[in-house]
Amino acid sequence: MALGIPAAAPTAAALPAPTAAVRPAAEARVQHPAAPPTAPPAAPAPEGPSEPSEGPTEPPENPTRVWTRIQVPHLSLPRSGRAVAVDPMIEFYDGAKSLPGPREVRLVIDTSGLKGIATVKVTDDLCTAEGPVVTCGFGKYLREPEKPISVTAVEGVAAGTSGTIRYEVTGKRLTGARTTSRVSIGTPELEVARLPDKEGLKSGQDIGIPVVLRNTGDRVTERVAVRVEGDGGVRLAQRHRNCRYRQGVQGDQIAAATCYFDRPVAPDETVALASPLPGSLTDDAFHTQVTYSAEAVPGDQDTTAGGTSGHGPELALVPARGQGTGFAAERLVRFVAKNSADIRAIGDTLKPGKKGTTRELTFGLHNEGPALLNRPLREPAVYVEVTLPKGVVASTVRVDEEPDEDADGNCFTYEDGKRKPFEPGHRRYLCPDAGVEEPGSGQSYLFEVRYSEDVSGAEGTVRVRSGDTDRPGDGGFDLNDPDPSNDEASIVVGKKTTDARPMAEAGAGVLPWIAAAAAALLGVGAVTFALVRRRAE
């Protein structure tokens, strides 16, 4: 429901404490920084709230309670009336001292500064509104509200008009934090042109991302940010000092960059990178892609955070009138290298048993390399088609979430070439792998099976195959498998099968008070826990 904005605005000091939140582990890449030298034992953390700090600050060297920071970018609202989501970033830090976790955390958003400028709508069930003040709690495992509010420009407000939103985080066992963000009416809107996909490349080959962008909004930009992120198989060169480089979503190589340009781009103007953003394919590259976009950012936005700057000359934006087609807010370009991935099927052996006997069956696949499997759009790259031995039916299924936490988590009943949701009591199933499978890694599937008759000697099969060949319009995913002989393995009752082998081991650390969530690196020293952010959508 939209909020009314009264004339009187409560002060930030009167607000309850804002919230901190942790995103589900499946949505974030966990990074575990090394702990600093051991510090003297800390005094017990005070239970009550302390005075919140104002704005982004640096954490103390020896905190006695969890330090908190909240950051919110300035917003430009389009005059078209399109709603824009607000997504505060809340971070926690305890100096690697394992201080007690925060309790009763709250996020309070005071929107009274938008009276007559923009309307506000609550967009998360963790939040409630009372007049212009929105108060948000946190879910289980400190799950924060996701984009708690959206704001929409009031019709007829002149471009350039601005207001403010105030935010505050409070709670027990933490310092609390405050910040203010500016909301202005009228906005530059940047879109990027489509780039052609490239095939027939060599692993290790140089590539470039020649971004062309256009301002489709109604205001001149103050500053432009061009963002590029490669999937596994892409490595960016740290060449330009006005770009910030960091690790990509897949792999540990530098595959993401944000480049800042203090060049105004007028409405309807088209510009391009003076030279393509340079990079290369890795040795294990096969099917991969790069996602790129451009954004207008305020001139006073900090451009020194997040990643490491390049070492070479500045990259510039140059006029590109008439260039580019297929403009959109975000684009991706695909690269395909001449490579191959040998996928081995993994079987298992079951002991004989009488009718009604239950057993545990483990089967799966393993990527023998040399290529990284990385299917665009995260569709399953590979499926395992399993046919259980005669007299054996499945009761339940569980997918091992390690090492591929992005695996679907289930298998399909598969009969007559058709798949449907998992049902017990069948012999044939189709199990999807994750969209990414690194060389040397694999995926295991665990069935509890039941003997529908006495079984002492029977054999079934495990067969790996390219993804989605049974769906109309999908030609599957090219593996270029160099050794088809290991694409099938046996499930044997009564004798040991030679093609059964252990699944790849994997381990995952979790924080003591966020046991079901993940930790993200804050980037301000040793961190033992921090807000887990979602991937950019």
Side-chain angles (χ1 to χ4, degrees):
M1 124 182 129
L3 307 181
I5 308 290
T11 64
L15 299 179
T19 35
V22 173
R23 304 296 188 193
E27 299 180 8
R29 173 168 289 273
V30 179
Q31 303 183 62
H32 298 284
T38 304
E47 284 285 331
S50 64
E51 184 67 17
S53 60
E54 178 74 30
T57 60
E58 295 304 311
E61 292 184 1
N62 189 30
T64 57
R65 65 169 69 196
V66 174
W67 173 85
T68 312
R69 175 164 68 182
I70 179 171
Q71 299 182 80
V72 189
H74 297 314
L75 293 179
S76 295
L77 300 185
R79 300 176 69 196
S80 63
R82 177 172 60 85
V84 176
V86 178
D87 197 12
M89 179 176 182
I90 304 161
E91 301 163 303
F92 304 98
Y93 171 84
D94 77 343
K97 293 165 58 178
S98 297
L99 294 175
R103 297 174 54 190
E104 300 177 21
V105 185
R106 293 289 182 271
L107 168 65
V108 175
I109 306 171
D110 178 6
T111 68
S112 57
L114 299 183
K115 181 181 179 182
I117 299 171
T119 58
V120 180
K121 183 178 181 180
V122 174
T123 52
D124 191 283
D125 291 341
L126 294 173
C127 305
T128 57
E130 184 174 347
V133 178
V134 177
T135 302
C136 304
F138 284 72
K140 192 175 182 181
Y141 306 118
L142 280 179
R143 181 181 70 82
E144 68 173 321
E146 181 177 341
K147 299 177 181 177
I149 62 173
S150 66
V151 290
T152 305
V154 171
E155 185 178 357
V157 176
T161 306
S162 65
T164 58
I165 304 178
R166 290 180 290 185
Y167 306 83
E168 186 176 358
V169 174
T170 60
K172 295 182 178 180
R173 299 178 178 171
L174 53 74
T175 60
R178 295 176 183 152
T179 195
T180 301
S181 69
R182 186 177 80 244
V183 177
S184 59
I185 303 302
T187 178
E189 293 278 356
L190 297 183
E191 296 184 347
V192 290
R194 180 190 295 113
L195 291 175
D197 297 341
K198 294 189 176 182
E199 300 183 0
L201 305 177
K202 296 179 181 179
S203 57
Q205 181 174 334
D206 289 343
I207 59 173
I209 316 298
V211 179
V212 176
L213 60 99
R214 176 183 296 166
N215 185 355
T216 59
D218 56 9
R219 293 183 66 186
V220 176
T221 63
E222 296 179 16
R223 172 176 285 160
V224 172
V226 173
R227 295 187 171 87
V228 173
E229 182 161 5
D231 270 8
V234 173
R235 178 186 292 113
L236 296 182
Q238 293 180 260
R239 189 168 299 174
H240 300 290
R241 64 174 177 265
N242 59 323
C243 298
R244 307 289 298 185
Y245 297 88
R246 59 197 184 280
Q247 292 180 358
V249 173
Q250 299 291 338
D252 56 4
Q253 69 272 7
I254 298 298
T258 301
C259 302
Y260 295 98
F261 305 91
D262 292 325
R263 181 198 188 284
V265 179
D268 296 324
E269 184 181 6
T270 302
V271 296
L273 300 183
S275 60
L277 193 70
S280 62
L281 299 180
T282 59
D283 290 341
D284 61 1
F286 191 9
H287 296 260
T288 189
Q289 64 186 25
V290 171
T291 303
Y292 57 99
S293 61
E295 180 184 6
V297 295
D300 59 357
Q301 180 168 316
D302 182 15
T303 61
T304 62
T308 305
S309 64
H311 311 299
E314 283 197 7
L315 183 61
L317 290 178
V318 296
R321 183 178 179 85
Q323 296 184 26
T325 60
F327 285 88
E330 182 179 86
R331 284 291 185 188
L332 62 84
V333 55
R334 295 186 174 94
F335 299 92
V336 181
K338 297 176 181 178
N339 213 334
S340 61
D342 179 18
I343 306 300
R344 176 187 293 272
I346 308 298
D348 201 1
T349 302
L350 297 171
K351 293 182 179 180
K354 301 290 186 181
K355 181 179 179 179
T357 298
T358 59
R359 303 280 192 222
E360 288 190 355
L361 168 69
T362 301
F363 61 94
L365 59 90
H366 192 266
N367 184 3
E368 305 289 323
L372 163 72
L373 286 185
N374 186 30
R375 189 171 190 191
L377 305 181
R378 296 295 181 264
E379 290 285 341
V382 185
Y383 280 79
V384 175
E385 182 180 336
V386 57
T387 302
L388 299 176
K390 187 177 183 300
V392 180
V393 295
S395 300
T396 60
V397 59
R398 180 171 68 86
V399 176
D400 185 355
E401 293 183 355
E402 296 291 351
D404 291 328
E405 68 233 13
D406 292 329
D408 178 77
N410 212 332
C411 293
F412 299 99
T413 301
Y414 192 60
E415 293 183 336
D416 300 323
K418 306 289 185 181
R419 60 180 179 178
K420 56 184 178 180
F422 179 89
E423 292 178 350
H426 297 274
R427 291 181 55 212
R428 295 195 68 197
Y429 294 90
L430 189 66
C431 300
D433 190 16
V436 177
E437 196 66 75
E438 297 180 359
S441 69
Q443 180 62 53
S444 61
Y445 306 86
L446 294 84
F447 277 11
E448 180 184 273
V449 298
R450 178 178 56 83
Y451 291 2
S452 58
E453 57 186 65
D454 295 352
V455 183
S456 60
E459 186 171 322
T461 59
V462 174
R463 184 169 68 90
V464 294
R465 58 181 238 192
S466 175
D468 293 357
T469 55
D470 62 316
R471 294 207 291 198
D474 190 332
F477 182 72
D478 179 23
L479 301 176
N480 194 24
D481 194 326
D483 184 11
S485 67
N486 61 13
D487 291 356
E488 188 171 299
S490 298
I491 299 173
V492 177
V493 180
K495 60 180 180 179
K496 188 173 181 60
T497 175
T498 58
D499 47 24
R501 56 189 287 182
M503 296 294 110
E505 294 183 357
V510 291
L511 302 179
W513 52 275
I514 312 178
L521 182 61
L522 178 60
V524 288
V527 177
T528 54
F529 49 89
L531 172 68
V532 175
R533 303 297 299 166
R534 296 179 304 282
R535 290 184 184 174
E537 296 177 354

